[in-house]
Each structure stands twice: as C-alpha cells, then as structure tokens.
Amino acid sequence: MKKMSLAKGSNKRMKRIALFPGSFDPITCGHTEIVQRGLAIFDEVFIGIGVNTTKTPTFPTGKKVQWISEIFQGEARVKVGIFSGLTVNFALSIEATFILRGLRAAPDFEYEKNIELLNKHLAPNIDTVYLVSSSTTGHISSSLVREVLRFNGNLKGLVPDIILQEISQQKI
Ligand code: ADP
C-alpha cells in the first residue's frame, strides 16, 4: 500500500493543498461547485486568480477577490490570491501539490491535456486533478454569464447570490 507522505521531522501528514487557477471573470456557480467538491478531497483549496497582462478582465481583480472572499468567508480551508506568470510557479510558492481544474465537456479536456503535460514537465511533483461538472452546472461559463449580464438577463443560479445582489443594487 502507498505510504502517506509525512512532513519532515514529524509524524504529521503533509497538508494537501490544491491550487484552483482561473480567470474567474466572474466566479460562477460552476466554479463554486468545483471548490466545494474539492474540499472533500483536499485540506485546502486555494483559488488563484490569474492576471494576464495582455488581457483586460471585465471585472477588476480586486472585485473578484472581494466576491470570492465573501462567498467562502465561512470556510477557512478556502483561500484566495492573485498571481501572474506560470501557474506551476505559483502552485510551488503556496506549497500546493495539486492543481484542481473543472471539466465541462470534451473541448475542456482537449485544452487541459496539453497544459497538464506542460505543467508536469515543469513541475513533476504537481499533479492535476479534474472534477467533471454536474448536470446542474455543466452549461455555465464566465463568458456566458458576461453575455447574459450585458443583455440584462436573469443570472439566478448562474452566479453566487452575493454577485446577484450587487447586480440588483446596480453596484456593478
Ligand atoms: P480559465 O480562464 O483558465 O479557462 P476559468 O476561470 O474560466 O479559467 O475557469 C477555471 C476552471 O474552472 C477551469 O478548469 C474551468 O474548466 C473550470 N470551470 C469553469 N466553469 C465550470 C463549470 N461550469 N463546471 C466545472 N468547471 C468549470
């Protein structure tokens, strides 16, 4: 049987930290479901908001951090932070040994496969773990949410309530 890894010099098991990287522009009910399910597998899920200097997000990064912090304020095992550069470098810096990603359909897998191979090449000790979206969230994407928002459609069930409230109060 495979031995559990032990922290150096102690008999304590090493904390299993998973980095959940993405743009979260904005965070959706699809993302939150992956985080919740990730908590059943990992000790900590770190939501990493990737900042891409060549792409301007729809929502300011500070707003994304605020939303995510509020959504998971009762869950100490969920952390949030911003990063730029290589995902694996950020994962190493927060001592994550897993990268968590969600899969909606085959195109997601096609996209993820090469990134996973590259990440494995760059950081052999980090494994990517995929969770397949449930039938209730598999249709949700941040880009569709932005499209619905643009035409004043109803976002209930697509984004967490806190974002809905801000929209109804016209704070965004
Ligand atoms: P990226 O910009 O890297 O595509 P996103 O912010 O869109 O990141 O998503 C981050 C992760 O969440 C990705 O692994 C993506 O596949 C996953 N994801 C997004 N929406 C869903 C959903 N509805 N169900 C499951 N996983 C999802």
Side-chain angles (χ1 to χ4, degrees), residues 20-24 30-31 34 101-102 104 108 112 133 137 140:
F20 184 36
S23 344
F24 305 103
H31 294 128
I34 297 295
R101 296 287 285 175
R104 284 159 292 195
D108 274 354
E112 297 287 342
S133 58
T137 59
I140 306 174

Side-chain angles (χ1 to χ4, degrees), residues 5-14:
S5 53
L6 298 178
K8 240 186 182 168
S10 83
N11 57 3
K12 267 174 75 183
R13 182 173 66 82
M14 258 174 71

Side-chain angles (χ1 to χ4, degrees), residues 4 45 127 150:
M4 288 238 182
V45 174
D127 264 316
R150 196 152 73 94

